[in-house]
Amino acid sequence: MKKTATRLADGRELIYYDARDDAVRDAVDPRPLDPIATSSEIRHDRLLGDHVAVASHRQGRTYHPPADECPLCPSREGRHSEIPAADYDVVVFENRFPSLAGDSGRCEVVCFTSDHDASFADLTVEQAALVLTAWTDRTAELADLPSVEQVFCFENRGKEIGVTLGHPHGQIYGYPFTTPRTQLMLSSLAEHRERTGRNLFDDVVADERADGRRIVMDGEHWIAFVPYAAHWPYEVHLYPKRRVPDLRDLDEGARTEFPQMYLELLKRFDRIFGEDEPPTPYIAAWHQAPFSIADRGEFALHLELFTIRRTSGKLKFLAGSESGMNVFINDVPPEAAAERLREVASK
């Protein structure tokens, strides 16, 4: 793998990740861009104890452009995009319309492939492995920034999720605080350790394996299951079998097996509702340990993959109970979801 860092016309950082060591990345961004001016602000909610990012400049971000004006495609035939090169493998760059910036953290865009019409599930094992390398490298780089406490790599896929650019891509957020969802996990982790002397993540995985009904895939280095109390109609958690706090600590065996298992999971998600249905909208979210907590090794890196589609042509909306009180109501029993995800395995 070859990593090449450069700058866009407005000063934002852009990094090429190439499978070939002889790749040359010397294309210059010729666009007459003004320097980035953001108004990102982190506000603390005193009642709930969480944080809200206020970023009014995002109202002007690019919204569903036609394919021939996509800012994530390579620069070709006289049209210049966010990526100056005429082709690329994987690219990461600072978001032009960040939710978090400066002392309030950092936001990056990850382009998985130069093919506008592809999806992550269409990548080869080698391409998916390169994306994993990029996620890992960015986690390591952002860990050194004083404004970043936790790194969140994720992908939103589908208009139903709210995606505004159709090109296959994800994002990386460097939060200046521990996120509320992670804080809940840490609290449960500490309570379980005090009560039982054991690690909660280890016990969750062990209990799922012992039960067996919700296991979707069981590899040598990874295990995928629908959680006992799944919030979403179809939700899968993917854990490395050797507990590690973040992507940097995965061993070679886990790195080698991950692309195979993850690509298969994504393919199964697209088959849940039948071959005639449009691609399944989903969110794929990596959960990594915050950097400043004690006993980081107690936290378990894992990926959560879920869709908001509950059945053919119908979405799961977060209505009164979910949005108002954060109490989820799931229409699909987790055991039935796991059975369906086993049924649609690749032949």
Side-chain angles (χ1 to χ4, degrees):
M1 187 277 293
K2 182 178 181 181
K3 174 183 174 182
T4 307
T6 184
R7 293 280 174 180
L8 295 172
D10 53 12
R12 287 175 294 136
E13 185 177 23
L14 180 143
I15 305 162
Y16 295 97
Y17 293 89
D18 288 290
R20 292 171 43 194
D21 290 335
D22 60 350
V24 177
R25 299 301 183 186
D26 56 5
V28 176
D29 182 9
R31 297 173 298 170
L33 299 179
D34 294 328
I36 293 295
T38 64
S39 56
S40 180
E41 177 187 0
I42 301 295
R43 297 190 180 185
H44 180 247
D45 186 320
R46 292 183 292 172
L47 286 179
L48 297 179
D50 59 11
H51 299 80
V52 176
V54 180
S56 59
H57 61 276
R58 285 175 53 80
Q59 287 280 32
R61 66 188 185 273
T62 308
Y63 186 80
H64 293 303
D68 60 357
E69 296 179 16
C70 174
L72 306 184
C73 286
S75 294
R76 295 172 180 167
E77 300 175 354
R79 191 186 74 84
H80 299 289
S81 71
E82 289 280 71
I83 298 93
D87 200 3
Y88 62 84
D89 291 344
V90 175
V91 167
V92 177
F93 61 88
E94 289 184 75
N95 198 323
R96 191 176 180 184
F97 303 97
S99 302
L100 310 166
D103 293 338
S104 298
R106 181 171 168 119
C107 291
E108 299 180 340
V109 176
V110 186
C111 297
F112 304 138
T113 171
S114 61
D115 185 351
H116 180 85
D117 298 316
S119 68
F120 201 116
D122 297 323
L123 301 183
T124 65
V125 168
E126 292 74 22
Q127 288 173 314
L130 188 58
V131 175
L132 177 62
T133 297
W135 282 332
T136 305
D137 182 71
R138 296 316 300 154
T139 297
E141 291 284 335
L142 296 183
D144 289 336
L145 297 182
S147 63
V148 173
E149 168 61 15
Q150 183 177 7
V151 173
F152 177 44
C153 306
F154 66 101
E155 180 191 2
N156 298 327
R157 186 264 188 91
K159 290 183 179 180
E160 300 93 330
I161 297 293
V163 174
T164 58
L165 297 174
H167 195 105
H169 73 287
Q171 299 181 66
I172 301 174
Y173 276 20
Y175 293 105
F177 49 78
T178 298
T179 60
R181 188 172 176 85
T182 302
Q183 192 60 62
L184 287 174
M185 292 183 194
L186 293 173
S187 297
S188 297
L189 183 66
E191 187 277 332
H192 188 81
R193 172 64 75 183
E194 182 177 354
R195 180 168 53 85
T196 69
R198 300 192 302 272
N199 181 275
L200 176 59
F201 289 107
D202 293 350
D203 281 0
V204 166
V205 173
D207 290 347
E208 291 295 350
R209 295 191 73 181
D211 184 290
R213 291 175 298 164
R214 292 175 295 276
I215 300 296
V216 176
M217 297 177 68
D218 193 356
E220 182 179 355
H221 300 279
W222 295 83
I223 185 167
F225 56 87
V226 178
Y228 172 77
H231 287 54
W232 300 95
Y234 291 90
E235 174 181 344
V236 175
H237 292 191
L238 180 62
Y239 278 77
K241 291 186 174 180
R242 183 179 71 88
R243 172 165 40 92
V244 296
D246 63 44
L247 289 165
R248 298 173 294 178
D249 297 304
L250 290 174
D251 59 28
E252 195 58 36
R255 291 187 183 282
T256 299
E257 187 180 67
F258 169 77
Q260 304 164 38
M261 289 195 68
Y262 186 49
L263 290 172
E264 172 62 18
L265 281 176
L266 293 180
K267 290 180 173 69
R268 293 190 192 190
F269 258 58
D270 275 342
R271 300 190 191 105
I272 293 173
F273 306 104
E275 299 292 338
D276 296 331
E277 285 290 313
T280 301
Y282 65 74
I283 292 174
W286 280 109
H287 291 265
Q288 305 194 80
F291 297 121
S292 66
I293 62 171
D295 299 324
R296 288 190 80 242
E298 288 284 293
F299 192 89
L301 166 78
H302 63 283
L303 183 143
E304 298 184 6
L305 174 69
F306 60 90
T307 179
I308 62 171
R309 186 178 291 165
R310 57 187 175 88
T311 189
S312 179
K314 297 179 181 179
L315 300 181
K316 165 65 177 177
F317 292 102
L318 299 189
S321 185
E322 292 88 355
S323 295
M325 297 303 288
N326 200 28
V327 177
F328 276 66
I329 301 169
N330 192 350
D331 302 302
V332 181
E335 294 75 18
E339 182 177 6
R340 178 58 179 160
L341 286 163
R342 291 192 296 267
E343 289 176 350
V344 295
S346 297
K347 300 298 188 289

